[in-house]
Amino acid sequence: MPELFGPAYAALYDSLYAAKDYAGESRLIQRVLNEYGSFPAHRVLDLGCGSGRHAVELAKLGYCVTGVDRSAAMLAEAERKGVRLIQSDLKELELEETFDAAIMMFAVLGYQLTNDDVDAALRAAHRHLRPGALLIFDCWYGPAVLAQKPSDRTIVVDTSNGPITRRSTATLDVCRRVCNVTFHIDPDLTETHTVRYFFADEILRFVKSAGFDLLRFGAFPEFDRDPGPDTWNVMAVARS
Ligand SMILES: C[S@@+](CC[C@H](N)C(=O)[O-])C[C@H]1O[C@@H](n2cnc3c(N)ncnc32)[C@H](O)[C@@H]1O
């Protein structure tokens, strides 16, 4: 299988998502940590940290963030921002330390396609958390994916080398509960990302079996709203 988040795609990642509100999402994470946490969180583990943009925003809010990702190219982008980093498949992570909180943001859980992989990812988060610490993650919400269906899109973004066009073509695979999204940037740069969507009852079961209590399953980023068929992204808060 071709490498995901390879060097060419990773180099464009921050430009492609320049409009994503990482600062606002990080403030929401801070709010959730304050409202749902049973102790003040300082040390945060960012699983699937990518190019490190939550880590940078969380650091501005006073958190000390360690990022984990399997893509060397994404980590190279994060390294430029001064984030503390570990290259690992998050499912196999074995650090001799625990954290006050963990995050898995921008559908990282959805990249774990099988039930075993989802279990392994959540267990890895759990074994790196202090008892009572929070795990916060967003994912695609099944009822919305089935109601809205993935669609083809084209965006044009600015980069330091001028504007680029990214065309994405998407298909739904209801048997595997995934969307296959192929990004076409130029003839040499094509990546197909297979992303799983989740239903509320599965999330409840997955987090419980990894040792967490599910505290909240809300719309994302409109976290105070309950999810519905209009809510492609949802955010879960679980306590270890
Ligand atoms: C959509 S990006 C999100 C990156 C970042 N969290 C953000 O919000 O911009 C998904 C990231 O998860 C990483 N990832 C997915 N599955 C992983 C795994 N099993 N272990 C480590 N990293 C993983 C990918 O390499 C990629 O950097």
Side-chain angles (χ1 to χ4, degrees):
M1 195 171 73
E3 188 186 3
L4 279 189
F5 298 96
Y9 192 76
L12 294 173
Y13 186 84
D14 284 352
S15 301
L16 291 169
Y17 296 106
K20 187 167 164 65
D21 184 10
Y22 283 92
E25 292 180 12
S26 299
R27 286 193 300 276
L28 175 59
I29 291 167
Q30 178 184 44
R31 190 194 121 191
V32 167
L33 291 173
N34 290 340
E35 281 182 18
Y36 290 85
S38 29
F39 44 75
H42 178 56
R43 300 177 67 249
V44 177
L45 182 63
D46 184 353
L47 295 166
C49 64
S51 66
R53 290 188 56 199
H54 287 108
V56 167
E57 295 300 332
L58 287 169
K60 287 184 199 160
L61 296 173
Y63 297 98
C64 174
V65 183
T66 298
V68 176
D69 207 287
R70 64 183 169 194
S71 159
M74 291 295 269
L75 288 177
E77 297 300 314
E79 196 167 23
R80 273 194 257 288
K81 303 182 179 93
V83 180
R84 181 194 177 209
L85 297 168
I86 291 155
Q87 185 176 10
S88 171
D89 188 307
L90 64 91
K91 303 189 293 296
E92 286 143 27
L93 192 67
E94 292 290 351
L95 303 178
E96 300 296 312
E97 55 185 320
T98 54
F99 293 80
D100 302 329
I103 61 171
M104 269 196 267
M105 297 300 293
F106 207 2
V108 170
L109 194 65
Y111 282 82
Q112 322 314 312
L113 300 177
T114 65
N115 289 349
D116 284 351
D117 284 349
V118 174
D119 278 335
L122 293 172
R123 292 209 170 101
H126 190 267
R127 69 176 168 269
H128 289 92
L129 286 173
R130 288 170 59 182
L134 298 183
L135 168 67
I136 302 170
F137 62 90
D138 65 344
C139 61
W140 291 3
Y141 186 46
V145 173
L146 296 181
Q148 296 174 32
K149 309 256 186 328
S151 54
D152 297 350
R153 285 189 193 164
T154 300
I155 57 167
V156 180
V157 295
D158 286 324
T159 73
S160 50
N161 297 320
I164 57 154
T165 301
R166 185 188 73 180
R167 204 163 51 81
S168 42
T169 51
T171 58
L172 178 64
D173 180 340
V174 286
C175 295
R176 291 176 68 211
R177 299 184 177 192
V178 297
C179 299
N180 298 301
V181 185
T182 303
F183 298 119
H184 312 262
I185 293 179
D186 61 43
D188 297 329
L189 177 43
T190 299
E191 285 199 6
T192 297
H193 292 215
T194 299
V195 181
R196 179 172 175 162
Y197 50 86
F198 296 92
F199 296 85
D201 59 334
E202 311 176 82
I203 289 293
L204 180 61
R205 226 173 334 107
F206 278 126
V207 299
K208 228 178 157 35
S209 99
F212 292 98
D213 290 325
L214 187 65
L215 302 183
R216 167 82 184 144
F217 187 70
F220 178 71
E222 310 85 3
F223 183 62
D224 297 317
R225 203 159 58 72
D226 289 333
D230 61 340
T231 320
W232 193 282
N233 295 296
V234 289
M235 190 159 105
V237 181
R239 185 170 48 217
S240 64

